[in-house]
């Protein structure tokens, strides 16, 4: 495998954007390219992630080409997935030896539609979607099962929220933040019991961009390149009754294959839109109690669907680059109840 | 599966989703202009190509195209098609002509419909002008230009517009 | 290329306007199982799955591959979903090929599909954002003006499109999977079919089809053991450019030219017309064959139309194009690009039956999408590169 490093990262997240997708994306891509020290024309491959259903129109990603430097023509691809998978495709492309570097970006405007309702269209179209179960209700079913199996309480979930909101205070890109203890949060009413508002993601609009570079050259582009040491992703069956919702088997496989347990982990950025999912993931990834979880506030505090997974990878890389740790685990997920999971192990030079 | 007795072949699940779109900065200027019978394009700076309608960025450079520039509501047909396919959301009677019009002062073809023109007279290079909605019906929508129609000016030779065709 | 990749299994569904005999999972399984059978493998032999399809709105399911994960045997495996507009079937295969050539996986299943009858594709394509006015219905309205420009530029005779359509529709009669098989097809029947988007006639247009196409890919040593000799990948390429900008040539786009050049460089091809034996290219409206012959470097600029006049692109010509009947005969949008790849691979594996080009050793698969702005290509060879 070729060594590939994350050499730059930029993001934009806001509760509601009045700019269109191109206008949101353009400065983010520009910032990532500028801080990579590379000329746009030097970057070998471009890959992006987004979803038409968020935009409510087909080919939502085509317009984005206006803002990302696609002239003269570029080697480019797009996944209808979270941008973390676009990064994976770019990493694969670098492994083939055809290119040495890539620009990866993702964007999403969750505020355009009713996100929890839009996500009902991800379920079984013949037998489940007709009921229009919104995403929060489906997550509530998973939370109830998980608490029962793991002996966890609503207080445990509230502790996750309180810590995330507190950490988000130092993250200018988080859209939910604050200093409220679990006691206070538990006094709030339920949204979809056992979940309260603070257990559910703070939806946001935004974009994320990352530049990766292979080999020695990465060392010349930044002070401390952050190397991708393990990268794997897996999927579980879709039917909510066909798998154990209290676990994330696909995350377990991905973590094992990415080598999470091979060495000490300093920090982890987990894409858990709901509080209980963070607890499921800690277990699935085998993270020790002393691992710092979601210092950014995580996806719970800025749920820009389609870019939040890539954002986790960027957030983790940024902290390693800044010397806050030497080894990090970044995670992305997709689908209801953590159906599809990706694990990326990052190490500082 | 097709040999299942009494197989259920089809079910209908109506899907209705509502979206609240943002026009964005560039399109906002363009759409506001339409309410005053003005066609505004955008460019990245003086001397740069004028994009109509504005796309937010100049696609060649990905630089923000934020400077608004008024262009003429007259232009030249650079290419066209005669449409005979019905569709629920098309408000024009069949057949009708859709055309790419290079507006005077713009550097990008503008896609719209031609009316008041015999089908066998449509041609590349012909001169046309916007036909606006009545003043009280001008809105922030491209339909404020109801259609384009021919005007009595000499055709533009193909060589002069080939780059935009 | 670091590692070699071979196509060891190919599976197609019957293409039809409405495959109401199967669900979405049933449709994709039909193609996947046929590809596995062709390779004499099972889902257990597959390391990863790469799925492609065009807009989710065509079926009304968001990220439908998550719903289809177990139907394509992806449980516990990596699954990727590619979407690059109309070129998606090609780029999906390119991504799958890269999983082999990078050395990451040994065997990969790749599959592209569309079940347009589950929703309303015309609606899906004509959904317009607010602030704008719907001017044209469907893709034809977008591409017809480009054809008009091509005619003006090249001086091609007006019946070029009819001749191309006739060739493809005759070829489709030799392809059992083709959606449109019009037994009494002839020049007059196409010429007298209704004009839809002038200059495109009804019978010069692609249909809307349900269908899926799958391929099993394997690394060199495994591919060498395939029950039917593998089609070897000699190169893949992809290029994109923005939809519209001042001075853009949307008839002969630079992105397509560059992708072709890159492909030929990888495959060591100097004279494509002579060294490549046949091609399956993405032609949703007849005239595009002539336009792409130029874009791909098989004919000089403004002379692509002559190839159909000379009979070069006919099944018995010196450079057969769209032997399967092409997109004009079967158009399961998301799958159409992969069908081009699969049909090209079938040619070098001598699997194409009645539409086989005798002695085909090198075949091109091609797809494009968006406003003629996304291109993906692959060159398959009978021998290893």
């Amino acid at each position: 495998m070729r060594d590939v490093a994350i050499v730059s990262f930029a993001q934009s997240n806001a509760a509601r954007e009045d700019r269109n997708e191109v206008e949101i994306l353009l400065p983010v891509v520009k910032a990532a390219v500028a801080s990579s020290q590379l000329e746009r024309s030097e970057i070998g491959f471009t890959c992006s992630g987004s979803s038409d259903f968020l935009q409510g129109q087909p080919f939502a990603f085509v317009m984005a080409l206006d803002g990302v430097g696609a002239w003269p023509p570029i080697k480019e691809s797009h996944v209808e997935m979270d941008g973390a998978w676009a990064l994976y495709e770019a990493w694969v492309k670098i492994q083939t030896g055809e290119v040495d570097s890539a620009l990866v970006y993702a964007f999403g405007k969750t505020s355009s539609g009713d996100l929890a309702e839009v996500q009902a269209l991800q379920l079984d179209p013949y037998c489940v979607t007709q009921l229009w179960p919104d995403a929060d209700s489906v997550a509530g079913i998973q939370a109830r099962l998980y608490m029962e199996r793991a002996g966890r309480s609503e207080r445990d979930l509230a502790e996750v929220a309180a810590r995330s909101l507190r950490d988000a205070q130092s993250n200018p890109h988080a859209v939910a933040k604050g200093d409220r203890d679990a006691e206070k949060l538990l006094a709030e009413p339920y949204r979809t019991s056992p979940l309260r508002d603070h257990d559910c993601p703070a939806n946001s609009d935004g974009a994320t961009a990352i530049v990766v570079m292979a080999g020695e050259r990465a060392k010349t582009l930044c002070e401390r390149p952050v190397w991708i040491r393990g990268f794997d992703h897996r999927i579980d069956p879709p039917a909510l009754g066909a798998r154990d919702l209290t676990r994330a088997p696909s995350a377990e496989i991905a973590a094992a294959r990415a080598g999470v347990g091979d060495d000490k982990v300093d920090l982890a950025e987990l894409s858990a839109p709901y509080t209980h999912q963070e607890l499921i993931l800690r277990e699935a990834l085998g993270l020790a109690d002393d691992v710092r979880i979601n210092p950014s506030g995580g996806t719970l505090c800025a749920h820009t669907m389609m870019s939040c997974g890539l954002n986790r990878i960027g957030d983790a890389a940024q902290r390693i680059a800044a010397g806050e740790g030497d080894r990090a685990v970044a995670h992305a997920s997709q689908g209801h109840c953590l159906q599809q999971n990706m694990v990326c192990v990052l190490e500082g030079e | 599966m097709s040999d299942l007795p009494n197989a259920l072949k089809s079910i209908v699940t109506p899907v209705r989703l509502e979206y609240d779109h943002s026009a964005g900065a560039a399109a906002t200027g363009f759409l506001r202009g339409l309410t005053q019978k003005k066609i505004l394009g955008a460019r990245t700076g003086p001397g740069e190509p004028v994009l109509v309608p504005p796309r937010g960025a100049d696609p060649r450079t990905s630089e923000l195209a934020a400077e608004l520039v008024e262009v003429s509501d007259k232009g030249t047909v650079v290419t066209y098609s005669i449409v005979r396919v019905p569709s629920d959301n098309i408000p024009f009677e069949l057949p009708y002509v859709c055309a790419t019009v290079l507006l005077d002062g713009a550097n990008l073809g503008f896609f719209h419909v031609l009316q008041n023109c015999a089908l066998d007279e449509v041609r590349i290079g012909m001169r046309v002008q916007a036909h606006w909605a009545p003043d009280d019906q001008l809105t922030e929508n491209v339909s404020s230009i109801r259609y384009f129609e021919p005007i009595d000016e000499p055709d533009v030779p193909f060589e002069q517009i080939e780059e935009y065709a | 290329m670091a590692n070699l990749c071979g196509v060891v299994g190919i599976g197609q569904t019957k293409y039809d306007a409405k495959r109401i005999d199967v669900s979405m999972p049933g449709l994709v399984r039909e193609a996947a199982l046929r590809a596995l059978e062709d390779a004499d493998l099972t889902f257990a032999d597959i390391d990863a799955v790469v799925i492609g399809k065009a807009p989710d709105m065509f079926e009304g399911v968001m990220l439908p591959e998550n719903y289809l994960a177990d139907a394509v045997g992806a449980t516990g495996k990596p699954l990727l979903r590619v979407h690059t507009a109309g070129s998606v079937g090609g780029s999906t295969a390119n991504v799958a090929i890269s999983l082999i050539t990078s050395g990451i996986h040994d065997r990969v299943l790749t599959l592209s599909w569309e079940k347009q009858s589950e929703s309303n594709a015309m609606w899906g394509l004509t959904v317009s954002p607010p602030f704008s006015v719907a001017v044209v219905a469907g893709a034809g309205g977008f591409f017809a003006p480009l054809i008009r420009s091509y005619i003006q530029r090249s001086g091609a005779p007006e019946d070029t499109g009819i001749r191309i359509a006739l060739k493809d529709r005759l070829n489709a009669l030799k392809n059992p999977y083709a959606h449109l098989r019009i037994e009494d097809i002839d020049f007059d029947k196409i010429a007298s079919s209704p004009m839809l988007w002038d200059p495109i006639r009804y019978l010069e247009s692609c249909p809307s089809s349900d269908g899926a196409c799958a391929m099993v890919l394997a690394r060199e040593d495994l591919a060498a053991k395939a029950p039917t000799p593998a089609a070897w990948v000699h190169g893949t390429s992809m290029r994109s450019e923005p939809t519209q900008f001042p001075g853009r040539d949307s008839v002969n786009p630079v992105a397509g030219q560059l992708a072709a050049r890159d492909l030929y460089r990888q495959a060591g091809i100097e004279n494509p017309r002579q060294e490549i034996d046949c091609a399956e290219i993405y032609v949703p409206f007849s005239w595009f064959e002539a336009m792409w012959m130029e874009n791909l470097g098989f004919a000089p600029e403004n002379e692509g139309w002559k190839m159909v006049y000379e009979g070069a692109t006919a099944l018995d010509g010196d450079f057969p194009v769209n032997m399967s009947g092409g997109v004009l005969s079967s158009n399961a949008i998301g799958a159409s690009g992969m069908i081009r790849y699969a049909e090209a691979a079938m040619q070098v594996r001598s699997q194409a039956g009645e539409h086989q080009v005798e002695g085909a050793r090198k075949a091109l698969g091609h797809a494009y999408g968006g406003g003629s702005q996304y291109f993906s290509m692959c060159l398959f060879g009978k021998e290893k590169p």
Side-chain angles (χ1 to χ4, degrees), chain A residues 32-80:
Chain A
V33 172
S35 69
S36 77
Q37 317 278 347
L38 293 168
E39 295 294 326
R40 179 66 183 91
S41 57
E42 285 182 275
I43 299 177
F45 185 60
T46 304
C47 198
S48 62
S50 69
S51 164
D52 283 350
F53 263 109
L54 283 190
Q55 263 60 46
Q57 62 187 93
F59 308 116
F61 58 94
V62 176
M63 273 294 275
L65 280 184
D66 282 3
V68 301
W71 183 256
I74 53 174
K75 292 182 185 173
E76 190 254 359
S77 183
H78 171 264
V79 292
E80 192 84 351

Side-chain angles (χ1 to χ4, degrees), chain B residues 27 34 36 52 71 77 83 87 114 122 135 144 146 151:
Chain B
L34 293 176
Q36 299 157 44
V52 188
V71 299
V77 172
V83 183
S87 180
L114 289 190
V122 190
D135 284 354
S144 287
R146 289 287 193 251
I151 50 174

